[in-house]
Coordinates of all heavy atoms in Angstrom, one line a residue:
P1141 N 375.1 -16.2 -58.9 CA 375.3 -17.0 -60.1 C 376.4 -16.2 -60.9 O 376.4 -15.0 -61.0 CB 374.0 -17.0 -60.9 CG 373.0 -16.8 -59.8 CD 373.6 -15.9 -58.8
P1142 N 377.3 -16.9 -61.6 CA 378.4 -16.3 -62.3 C 377.9 -15.2 -63.3 O 378.5 -14.2 -63.5 CB 379.1 -17.5 -63.0 CG 378.8 -18.6 -62.2 CD 377.5 -18.4 -61.6
A1143 N 376.8 -15.5 -64.0 CA 376.3 -14.6 -65.0 C 375.8 -13.3 -64.3 O 376.1 -12.2 -64.8 CB 375.2 -15.2 -65.8
T1144 N 375.2 -13.4 -63.2 CA 374.7 -12.3 -62.4 C 375.9 -11.5 -61.9 O 375.9 -10.2 -62.0 CB 373.8 -12.7 -61.3 OG1 372.7 -13.5 -61.8 CG2 373.3 -11.5 -60.5
A1145 N 376.9 -12.1 -61.4 CA 378.1 -11.4 -60.9 C 378.8 -10.7 -62.0 O 379.2 -9.5 -61.8 CB 379.0 -12.4 -60.2
E1146 N 378.9 -11.3 -63.1 CA 379.6 -10.6 -64.2 C 378.8 -9.4 -64.7 O 379.4 -8.3 -65.0 CB 379.8 -11.6 -65.4 CG 380.5 -11.0 -66.6 CD 381.9 -10.5 -66.3 OE1 382.5 -11.0 -65.3 OE2 382.3 -9.5 -66.9
A1147 N 377.5 -9.5 -64.8 CA 376.6 -8.4 -65.2 C 376.8 -7.2 -64.2 O 376.9 -6.0 -64.6 CB 375.2 -8.8 -65.3
L1148 N 376.8 -7.5 -62.9 CA 376.9 -6.5 -61.9 C 378.3 -5.8 -62.0 O 378.5 -4.6 -61.8 CB 376.7 -7.0 -60.5 CG 375.2 -7.5 -60.2 CD1 375.2 -8.2 -58.9 CD2 374.2 -6.4 -60.3
R1149 N 379.3 -6.7 -62.2 CA 380.7 -6.2 -62.3 C 380.9 -5.2 -63.4 O 381.6 -4.2 -63.3 CB 381.7 -7.4 -62.5 CG 383.1 -7.0 -62.2 CD 384.0 -8.3 -62.3 NE 383.8 -9.1 -61.1 CZ 383.2 -10.3 -61.1 NH1 382.7 -10.8 -62.3 NH2 383.0 -11.0 -60.1
R1150 N 380.2 -5.4 -64.5 CA 380.3 -4.5 -65.7 C 379.7 -3.1 -65.4 O 380.0 -2.1 -66.1 CB 379.6 -5.1 -66.9 CG 380.4 -6.3 -67.4 CD 379.6 -7.0 -68.6 NE 380.3 -8.1 -69.1 CZ 379.8 -8.9 -70.1 NH1 378.6 -8.7 -70.6 NH2 380.5 -9.9 -70.5
L1151 N 378.8 -3.1 -64.4 CA 378.1 -1.8 -64.1 C 378.7 -1.1 -62.9 O 378.3 0.1 -62.7 CB 376.6 -2.1 -63.9 CG 375.8 -2.7 -65.0 CD1 374.4 -3.1 -64.6 CD2 375.7 -1.7 -66.2
L1152 N 379.6 -1.7 -62.2 CA 380.1 -1.1 -61.0 C 380.7 0.3 -61.2 O 380.5 1.2 -60.3 CB 381.2 -2.0 -60.3 CG 380.6 -3.1 -59.4 CD1 381.8 -3.9 -58.9 CD2 379.8 -2.6 -58.3
L1163 N 371.5 -0.3 -59.7 CA 372.5 -1.3 -59.2 C 372.5 -1.4 -57.7 O 372.5 -2.5 -57.2 CB 373.9 -0.9 -59.7 CG 375.0 -1.9 -59.4 CD1 374.7 -3.2 -60.0 CD2 376.3 -1.3 -60.0
F1177 N 379.7 -10.5 -52.9 CA 380.2 -10.1 -54.2 C 381.0 -8.8 -54.1 O 382.1 -8.7 -54.7 CB 379.1 -10.0 -55.2 CG 379.4 -9.2 -56.4 CD1 380.2 -9.7 -57.4 CD2 378.9 -7.9 -56.5 CE1 380.5 -8.9 -58.6 CE2 379.2 -7.1 -57.6 CZ 380.0 -7.6 -58.6

Side-chain angles (χ1 to χ4, degrees):
T1144 302
E1146 181 57 30
L1148 294 175
R1149 193 174 289 109
R1150 290 176 180 174
L1151 296 172
L1152 276 178
L1163 185 55
F1177 159 77

